[in-house]
Amino acid sequence: MPEEKIELFTYPGLAEKLRDVLSSGEKVHTEEVLVRLGMKHLDRRELRRLCEDAVMKYGIPIGSSTKGLFLVTDQKSFEEARTYLFKQMVAYSKRIEGLEKAYGIEPSIEEEEAI
């Protein structure tokens, strides 16, 4: 039987609570975010999904870096968050390319142009 997906924003205000946790202007390490949310039982993957939902569904500008999560409040923090995401995207693209080569598939022209 497939595991049922639980929506993380099942009670009102969780996105706002996440915003409040990050409102100090400092970068907050993922484990500390979970402690402040009172959700220590979640893992990093679930926190990433929570942040993704906050950004995509609720319009809360949350950025991340190797130093933690933060609210995007100005051009500098926007560029930092965007650059970090772009670096992750490039790394995943390279990993996909490596997997394709290891499996004996050459990337198509369309895939190479997209990267």
Side-chain angles (χ1 to χ4, degrees):
M1 175 183 268
E3 185 176 315
E4 184 180 335
K5 263 191 162 176
I6 297 171
E7 183 65 36
L8 291 173
F9 286 114
T10 54
Y11 70 88
L14 183 55
E16 289 302 321
K17 189 173 180 183
L18 180 58
R19 181 199 305 259
D20 291 345
V21 164
L22 300 175
S23 67
S24 69
E26 300 293 321
K27 292 178 180 70
V28 183
H29 197 266
T30 55
E31 284 81 11
E32 181 61 24
V33 171
L34 292 171
V35 167
R36 292 181 189 182
L37 285 173
M39 304 179 93
K40 293 188 295 186
H41 61 283
L42 296 181
D43 62 24
R44 287 180 174 177
R45 180 174 294 173
E46 291 167 316
L47 179 59
R48 279 193 301 269
R49 182 163 174 263
L50 186 96
C51 291
E52 181 180 315
D53 284 352
V55 172
M56 302 300 291
K57 292 181 181 178
Y58 299 95
I60 298 174
I62 297 172
S64 60
S65 72
T66 56
K67 296 180 181 178
L69 301 171
F70 57 93
L71 279 181
V72 174
T73 57
D74 56 23
Q75 188 66 31
K76 183 179 176 184
S77 60
F78 170 78
E79 290 298 332
E80 181 179 5
R82 186 175 181 272
T83 298
Y84 184 73
L85 288 172
F86 185 75
K87 286 179 181 180
Q88 288 181 314
M89 182 182 71
V90 170
Y92 279 121
S93 295
K94 289 178 181 180
R95 185 173 171 188
I96 291 168
E97 184 179 316
L99 177 62
E100 289 171 336
K101 286 180 182 178
Y103 188 66
I105 298 174
E106 287 298 319
S108 70
I109 293 172
E110 294 85 16
E111 290 170 334
E112 289 176 350
E113 289 175 356
I115 298 171

